[in-house]
Structure formats: C-alpha cells, structure tokens
Amino acid sequence: MSDDHTHVQEFFSARAADWDSRFPDDGPAYAAAVADLGLRPGDRVLDAGCGTGRALPPLRAAVGRSGVVLGADLTPAMLQAAARAGRDRDARLLLADVARLPVRSDSLDAVFAAGLIAHLPDPEDNLRELARVVRPGGTLALFHPIGRAALAARQGRQITPDDLRAETSLRPLLARSGWRMTSYVDEDARFLALAVHAG
C-alpha cells in the first residue's frame, strides 16, 4: 500500500466514528447534488469514496429497487460506520481503491464522488479509472457540501491559484481523463462539477 493510501486511511479511520455528527446538516446538500446527477430508475451508480455513505440513501431513491448502487471506500472504518448507520441496506459496500475498481468497464451509468478529488494520489489516472467503469454518455458528479472558499476558511487556509478544484484546473484535467465538464458551481453552500464520459 502506498504512503498516500496509508495517510488517507489513517486520516479517515481516526474520524469515522463521529464523522456524521461533525457534519449533521449536510443531508439536503447531498440529496440536491444527487438530484442534479439526473439518475433514472434502473440506473447503475457508484459512490466513489463513499465514506460513511451519506449519499447512498438518495442514490438508492433515485435509481429505485431495480437499480444498482455501489459504495466504494479505501477505509474499513468508514464502511463500518456506513453499515452501523444502516446505509448498507441502500448499497453494496466495497472495500476498494478508486485507482483499481473491481467493476467491469462501461458497466455503470454514473459516478458520484463527494470530497474525493482532494484525496486522489494521481487525479488524472484516477479520474480515467472512473471513466473506465462508466458507459459513454454516463455522468460524473464531483461534489462537496460547501464551496472552495468556505472550506478553505474552515481549514484556516487560503485558496491557491493552482487549486485542483478551480474551474480553470478542473476542466482540462477532466478532459485529459475522458470527461467533458457540463456544469460547474462553486458557491458557499456547495461545490458541484458535473461531467459526461466522452467515450
């Protein structure tokens, strides 16, 4: 396991037990972002880096019982917290690295990724792996329940010009990874970039 993975697992393992209680008001923002993904009943969707699974109930509601919802995360403690919260009833939980997903190529309609991009060791390759598992024309949502400026303020830092989530950085990164950005919102209440798999 790489040092990047070890750091991510250590960071989230230490916070898994009280993660949801630290951010109790995020539910509506997750539901709104899932709605913007445009899922239909019967669709197959992956929550990449699902953490405690806060997106899994709205994803299940969007695709219905005939759809497929997968929740993948690198940190066992986060998946355990998701199961304790009962979110394993909404999705099949996978202990998996988004750099090497145990999912067939072109088998999904969409990927939802909340807070994931900042933790990717190789964003271009990792986003290309997400494109691999999504059919051409399928969609990707890169989401955070607060915008870049609000998150930076919460963390006591400044946004830098080379911020990966800046539109001028993210649009070409997505393009190099097989995605075409279709929408970009960065406001205090949320960050949401939507993209289509260019195929």
Side-chain angles (χ1 to χ4, degrees), residues 32-97:
V34 168
D36 286 341
L37 195 49
L39 295 167
R40 297 181 303 255
D43 276 354
R44 301 169 60 91
V45 61
L46 167 69
D47 184 354
C50 67
T52 62
R54 291 180 292 173
L56 299 177
L59 288 169
R60 171 56 66 196
V63 303
R65 297 320 307 175
S66 64
V68 173
V69 181
L70 304 174
D73 202 276
L74 186 65
T75 305
M78 284 299 219
L79 294 174
Q80 291 161 6
R84 278 194 305 274
R87 296 173 184 142
D88 56 336
R89 292 189 296 269
D90 294 307
R92 179 173 171 214
L93 300 180
L94 306 172
L95 180 62
D97 182 352

Side-chain angles (χ1 to χ4, degrees), residues 6 10 18 22 42-43 69 72 75-76 85-86 98 107 109 116 120 133 136 140-141 146 154 167-168 172 181 187 195:
T6 301
E10 289 173 353
D18 68 344
R22 291 175 63 205
D43 276 354
V69 181
T75 305
V98 298
S107 63
D109 297 291
L116 177 71
L120 296 176
V133 300
L140 168 68
I146 61 174
R154 176 192 285 175
E167 185 174 7
T168 54
M181 186 188 290
E187 52 198 23

Side-chain angles (χ1 to χ4, degrees), residues 51-181:
T52 62
R54 291 180 292 173
L56 299 177
L59 288 169
R60 171 56 66 196
V63 303
R65 297 320 307 175
S66 64
V68 173
V69 181
L70 304 174
D73 202 276
L74 186 65
T75 305
M78 284 299 219
L79 294 174
Q80 291 161 6
R84 278 194 305 274
R87 296 173 184 142
D88 56 336
R89 292 189 296 269
D90 294 307
R92 179 173 171 214
L93 300 180
L94 306 172
L95 180 62
D97 182 352
V98 298
R100 290 179 304 281
L101 289 164
V103 178
R104 288 191 331 271
S105 297
D106 302 329
S107 63
L108 301 176
D109 297 291
V111 172
F112 184 87
L116 177 71
I117 195 164
H119 300 287
L120 296 176
D122 187 340
E124 187 171 332
D125 279 352
N126 301 152
L127 289 168
R128 191 173 293 119
E129 172 67 356
L130 295 181
R132 179 189 69 78
V133 300
V134 173
R135 64 171 174 77
T139 52
L140 168 68
L142 298 176
F143 167 71
H144 201 282
I146 61 174
R148 293 185 310 128
L151 181 61
R154 176 192 285 175
Q155 297 172 342
R157 60 177 178 81
Q158 298 289 321
I159 295 178
T160 59
D162 62 345
D163 183 353
L164 192 60
R165 289 164 290 188
E167 185 174 7
T168 54
S169 300
L170 188 57
R171 186 179 296 275
L173 171 64
L174 286 167
R176 292 192 306 270
S177 306
W179 299 97
R180 178 176 54 83
M181 186 188 290

Side-chain angles (χ1 to χ4, degrees), residues 1 14 28 30 35 38 78 107 117 123 147 150 169 186 190 197:
M1 182 176 298
Y30 273 80
M78 284 299 219
S107 63
I117 195 164
S169 300
D186 181 18
R190 73 173 178 166
H197 181 203

